[in-house]
Amino acid sequence: MADDLLSVELVAADRTVWTGEAVMVLARTTDGEVGILPHHAPLLGNLVNGTVVVRQESGDPVVAVVHGGFLSVADNHVGILAEEADLAKDIDLAAAERDLEQARGSGDDDSIQQQRRAEARIRAHGMAH
């Protein structure tokens, strides 16, 4: 790996979602949005439900939706360990829209979480297409 690239590993609780090299990673933590460039200071943060964008050297973005988890940065390595994660290109938009409509029908805490997850999947899908 070149010194001007980040080694990125995006892992869900049940599988590796994406690995590769990048020039930048954008993610949202409980402290706000963070941009990671090569030689970033060590960092450990709690991820919030939302998107992670990995900018490859070619300029092509890898967009993923994550639900919970952690972000760690050390020695040009970015580790993203999410409870759930999917690449935006793999998201079924129609299913996400159905999930959103179903979640809006109820006001309990579980439905609110399901609504937020569906909204994050829809946003991620839009960013990748």
Side-chain angles (χ1 to χ4, degrees):
M1 181 183 77
D3 283 343
D4 56 345
L5 294 176
L6 298 163
S7 169
V8 181
E9 187 173 19
L10 172 58
V11 178
D14 60 344
R15 71 192 191 293
T16 298
V17 177
W18 188 86
T19 60
E21 294 182 336
V23 295
M24 180 175 61
V25 176
L26 296 171
R28 184 169 297 280
T29 69
T30 53
D31 293 327
E33 191 162 14
V34 62
I36 308 297
L37 296 170
H39 310 291
H40 194 284
L43 171 73
L44 181 62
N46 291 320
L47 291 170
V48 297
N49 295 348
T51 56
V52 170
V53 178
V54 178
R55 288 261 179 233
Q56 298 178 87
E57 190 172 22
S58 65
D60 295 329
V62 174
V63 180
V65 62
V66 298
H67 302 292
F70 299 94
L71 168 78
S72 69
V73 179
D75 299 324
N76 280 348
H77 178 79
V78 179
I80 301 163
L81 176 57
E83 294 172 21
E84 295 178 32
D86 291 296
L87 293 177
K89 67 182 181 77
D90 297 335
I91 293 171
D92 180 338
L93 182 59
E97 289 171 341
R98 279 192 307 274
D99 292 347
L100 179 59
E101 287 306 312
Q102 289 175 349
R104 285 183 174 159
S106 175
D108 61 30
D109 286 344
D110 190 46
S111 293
I112 292 169
Q113 287 299 324
Q114 289 174 356
Q115 181 176 336
R116 289 181 181 152
R117 287 176 184 229
E119 289 169 344
R121 290 177 20 233
I122 291 167
R123 272 193 310 277
H125 184 272
M127 292 174 73
H129 294 92

